[in-house]
Amino acid sequence: QVTLVESGGGLVQAGGSLTLSCAASGRTFSMYDIGWFRRTPGKEREFVASIYRGGSQTDYTDSVKARFIISRNYAKNTIDLQMNSLKTEDTAVYYCAAGWGDNYRYWGQGIQVTVSS
């Protein structure tokens, strides 16, 4: 069983930055691909970014390219999502997930990110 815990959410003004972290036990990040997703009320869950379990390949949805960076933080043993130039439309509950390819089996509880205008 894999347990994922997100942290780092909160309230930020538009144009600001925030870094989310996804923590997991053991060798989760060596065994699984990690994705970040988000959901806003009334909308389907949306893929945001992912990093391959080897740590060398990343992917982003178009709306966050050049603004968000997903990376592995070896010192903290987390997968971080650095979010820059935040927009009000980035407001959502953000989830990290672990799996292989497009099959994400394990999910965190989610964390709120609110971007004010």
Side-chain angles (χ1 to χ4, degrees):
Q1 185 69 20
V2 174
T3 301
L4 303 171
V5 179
E6 301 96 341
S7 63
L11 175 65
V12 64
Q13 285 191 325
S17 298
L18 208 59
T19 298
L20 303 182
S21 294
C22 176
S25 58
R27 298 174 58 242
T28 299
F29 299 141
S30 297
M31 297 173 60
Y32 296 93
D33 303 331
I34 302 297
W36 280 97
F37 295 78
R38 65 188 179 188
R39 177 177 280 163
T40 55
K43 293 186 178 181
E44 292 186 359
R45 185 173 59 205
E46 175 189 24
F47 167 79
V48 177
S50 64
I51 185 166
Y52 182 65
R53 54 192 175 275
S56 60
Q57 181 178 338
T58 59
D59 192 20
Y60 300 89
T61 190
D62 286 345
S63 64
V64 307
K65 282 181 181 177
R67 298 190 299 124
F68 290 12
I69 301 171
I70 187 171
S71 63
R72 185 169 177 179
N73 187 322
Y74 288 91
K76 294 166 51 182
N77 194 28
T78 59
I79 298 294
D80 293 345
L81 182 69
Q82 182 181 339
M83 305 185 294
N84 303 312
S85 302
L86 282 162
K87 305 175 180 180
T88 55
E89 52 262 44
D90 294 318
T91 295
V93 177
Y94 284 73
Y95 301 85
C96 69
W100 296 288
D102 293 331
N103 183 19
Y104 289 94
R105 297 182 59 186
Y106 305 102
W107 293 83
Q109 79 285 359
I111 193 163
Q112 179 70 45
V113 171
T114 302
V115 184
S116 64
S117 58

